[in-house]
Amino acid sequence: MSHIVIATRESRLALWQAEHVRALLQALGHTVELLGMTTRGDQILDRTLSKVGGKGLFVKELETALEEGRADIAVHSLKDVPMELPAGFELAAVLEREDARDAFVSPRHARLEDLPEGAVVGTSSLRRTVLLLALRPDLRIEPLRGNLDTRLRKLDEGQYAAIVLAAAGLLRLDLAARIRTIFEPEQMLPAAGQGALGIEIRADRPELRAALAPLVHGTTWRRVAAERAVSRAMGGSCSMPLAAFAQDLGDGRLQVRAAWGDVGQAGALVRTELSGIADGLDAAEALGTEAARRLQAGGARLG
């Protein structure tokens, strides 16, 4: 067995995720310590990610720690991991997914439908913005940055009538009581990889790949491989209002749903849905790529 150092962001949720991986590795006999780090994505809170470099801002410093040998693995929320990793790095494991859906959080209103006309809803996700406006074009969508606790504090201070968050983070931090409603995918399609944890390593560390193999959840990895393939083929980033969600249908089949919107046109959405055999990562990625092709073919509707 080996000694493994985990690079992690220092937010409460990121530390929960790293501690979760540490416990799993310790159960396998490894000794594990955490290397807490603050990333650029954590430091820049006055602008949306799409304007300051995208989600890669949450992983770059962790990758530097891997490159310099200060850490062996990095634990990420998979939806924060760019579709293309830098040369020399690889995704070595994807863990079993938590709830992938979005949550409606409000101190006074039980559902999105209950919000008064013109209510202010907080999110900095372009995906959530276009999907919310497709459901309620009368709403005012205002930026919401910061870690989970900061976002909840801003809501409680009255800056927003409601906010939309990933259900997974609330569940992991025992904050399920804050959830008023869970959005079904038919209402609000999740982001690629939402609710899943990914572990990144240097590609020249095969011994780590082997050590992490028992943590791999194959069904989750196939699902997120299809979702990430949609984003990759679309050139997906924080600047693109794109949703992708795959579900396992059994017998090696996946269903992939995707949506692409335009922030400047409330309700302007292209959606697609397809299913097929995806009994391996390559087949899952091919299914996601085909979903992206169909989205692109329907993109004229956004013109």
Side-chain angles (χ1 to χ4, degrees), residues 13 38 54 60 162 171 178 208 223 230 240-241 245 269 284 297:
L13 180 56
T38 300
K60 185 172 177 54
L171 294 172
R178 296 301 303 260
L208 285 174
R223 289 175 60 187
V230 175
M240 176 175 285
F245 182 59
L269 285 174

Side-chain angles (χ1 to χ4, degrees), residues 6-142:
I6 300 176
T8 175
R9 295 163 60 199
E10 293 184 303
S11 72
R12 190 156 69 102
L13 180 56
L15 288 171
W16 183 98
Q17 295 169 172
E19 292 280 6
H20 177 62
V21 172
R22 172 157 70 176
L24 293 173
L25 289 171
Q26 287 175 332
L28 294 171
H30 303 286
T31 61
V32 187
E33 66 176 291
L34 303 188
L35 174 66
M37 307 181 70
T38 300
T39 70
R40 286 277 290 161
D42 297 307
Q43 294 169 336
I44 302 173
L45 299 178
D46 59 342
R47 286 161 285 171
T48 62
L49 289 176
S50 60
K51 295 180 179 177
V52 292
K55 293 180 178 180
L57 291 177
F58 287 124
V59 303
K60 185 172 177 54
E61 283 87 349
L62 306 189
E63 289 171 340
T64 299
L66 298 185
E67 194 167 36
E68 295 175 350
R70 291 181 287 125
D72 300 298
I73 69 175
V75 177
H76 305 301
S77 290
L78 200 53
K79 70 181 180 65
D80 292 334
V81 178
M83 299 305 134
E84 299 290 351
L85 295 178
F89 294 91
E90 68 177 50
L91 200 59
V94 172
L95 281 60
E96 185 171 6
R97 197 174 208 168
E98 180 53 271
D99 195 324
R101 297 172 295 177
D102 288 306
F104 177 79
V105 181
S106 174
R108 295 182 300 278
H109 305 285
R111 305 175 306 158
L112 183 73
E113 298 90 326
D114 298 333
L115 290 173
E117 184 173 349
V120 176
V121 177
T123 178
S124 290
S125 160
L126 297 183
R127 172 189 63 86
R128 289 178 181 141
T129 296
V130 298
L131 294 175
L132 283 167
L133 290 175
L135 295 169
R136 287 283 307 269
D138 62 290
L139 295 175
R140 280 178 51 206
I141 311 298
E142 296 290 345

Side-chain angles (χ1 to χ4, degrees), residues 145-162:
R145 287 290 316 280
N147 61 39
L148 187 57
D149 292 314
T150 298
R151 296 181 189 205
L152 290 170
R153 175 181 55 77
K154 291 178 178 180
L155 172 69
D156 293 338
E157 289 172 350
Q159 297 183 37
Y160 309 90

